[in-house]
Amino acid sequence: MTSAPARDLVEKLAGQQTVLVTGATGFIGSRLVASLTAGGHQVIALVRNPAKADALASPIMLITTLDQLAADTRIDAIVNLAGEPIGNGLWTEAKRRTILDSRINMTGDVVRLIARLERKPAVLINGSAIGWYGLWQDQVLTESARSHACFSHELCDAWEKAARPAEAHGVRVVYLRIGLVLGTEGGFITRLLTPFEFGLGGPLGSGKQWMSWIERDDLVRLIAHVIARADLSGPINATAPIPVTNTKFTEELGRRLHRPAMFRIPASLLRRVGGDFANELLLGGQRVLPNKVLSHGFVFRHETLRSAFEAIL
């Protein structure tokens, strides 16, 4: 796998920044921490499981609870990514509650930290996802689009609302609606590699559902861009500007791996096995465009899926 030098991903950040990152050992958080430290910034990493912290880049300030931070701690920006993974199991009632509570509780803790800090951070970048929009078939979705009711929307909407009280403390709040993040160290694509290696890759259901994706290093660069731009707030779509259908995605992946992409998995089978999980994450989709960051000068290094696959595979 080739990747940009970590320090180059946060080049837009002027001066030395102190950034608190929750979910620091995750697929996105770990790369963000590495990029910030390589760029000369100070990182406070919240890690629930200290055993996983060995993989994080140094030097960092490691904490296991926000209560460990004193009121006079300097924090310039907070990136809140912590939450129970949504794609590692069926959405039972217990799983849904864990997914929801993990995000709401952590975000509440972040807002309470902001309230007691003597010097408030300039910005809170709060995690969310394009699932906020619900399932729209072919309609193009920008940040001004409405939503359709489903569990993904309920989850993302509750997560965003939990962060909103930070505005009352004078903090700029951004809701980062993240698409499918591409990289070979985790995320969506790692689940597809094994069937393709055995020649069993192919479209899910009709293959017509839209996949709005973003390459992981571009996502880290986008986060740095949002920290640096004081005129960006509210919902921001963190997706590449050229979404593709599931059929196109699997064709391009098969081409890059030199494997066939002909083994179609029936939608009825996926729904029978996965229920709402399959309907919303595998068979549904959103055709999302990142209008806000494009209009504020952000330039993607990987606008096309082919470019992203060439970088990471």
Side-chain angles (χ1 to χ4, degrees), residues 281-298:
L281 295 189
L282 303 179
L283 299 171
Q286 297 87 11
R287 189 180 185 182
V288 177
L289 297 183
N291 277 15
K292 267 194 181 179
V293 292
L294 289 176
S295 65
H296 284 75
F298 184 74

Side-chain angles (χ1 to χ4, degrees), residues 71-276:
D72 62 354
T73 304
R74 173 187 166 175
I75 300 175
D76 298 303
I78 300 175
V79 183
N80 179 31
L81 301 172
E84 172 78 8
I86 67 170
N88 64 348
L90 297 181
W91 287 351
T92 63
E93 285 302 315
K95 178 68 171 179
R96 291 181 194 229
R97 178 48 54 190
T98 300
I99 291 171
L100 188 59
D101 287 350
S102 65
R103 286 161 174 76
I104 304 308
N105 294 341
M106 174 53 68
T107 306
D109 290 344
V110 168
V111 173
R112 283 186 286 274
L113 169 67
I114 291 172
R116 65 181 179 82
L117 287 175
E118 296 170 0
R119 179 184 179 274
K120 311 301 184 189
V123 59
L124 165 61
I125 299 179
N126 202 69
S128 185
I130 57 174
W132 185 91
Y133 298 105
L135 306 180
W136 280 92
Q137 296 183 344
D138 287 333
Q139 182 167 327
V140 173
L141 303 171
T142 67
E143 287 87 353
S144 62
R146 296 179 295 109
S147 63
H148 277 167
C150 61
F151 175 67
S152 298
H153 168 73
E154 176 189 342
L155 170 65
C156 295
D157 192 51
W159 199 5
E160 293 183 11
K161 285 177 178 175
R164 193 168 300 162
E167 295 176 350
H169 300 287
V171 176
R172 173 168 60 98
V173 179
V174 171
Y175 313 110
L176 203 63
R177 294 176 180 170
I178 303 171
L180 297 168
V181 183
L182 303 186
T184 55
E185 298 168 17
F188 177 80
I189 199 171
T190 58
R191 301 186 183 97
L192 297 180
L193 292 179
T194 299
F196 270 90
E197 288 171 357
F198 286 95
L200 300 176
L204 302 177
S206 70
K208 296 178 180 179
Q209 66 272 33
W210 286 92
M211 300 178 69
S212 297
W213 58 274
I214 185 169
E215 192 270 335
R216 184 175 63 162
D217 282 357
D218 264 349
L219 176 56
V220 171
R221 292 179 57 248
L222 189 150
I223 291 172
H225 183 86
V226 171
I227 293 175
R229 290 294 299 255
D231 53 347
L232 277 170
S233 62
I236 289 179
N237 291 336
T239 61
I242 306 178
V244 297
T245 64
N246 178 256
T247 294
K248 177 65 176 176
F249 188 97
T250 52
E251 286 176 352
E252 192 62 44
L253 181 58
R255 186 197 68 82
R256 185 63 193 173
L257 296 175
H258 307 291
R259 295 290 189 274
M262 304 294 292
F263 190 82
R264 185 182 301 273
I265 302 178
S268 57
L269 175 62
L270 290 170
R271 288 194 178 98
R272 188 160 60 248
V273 173
D276 287 344

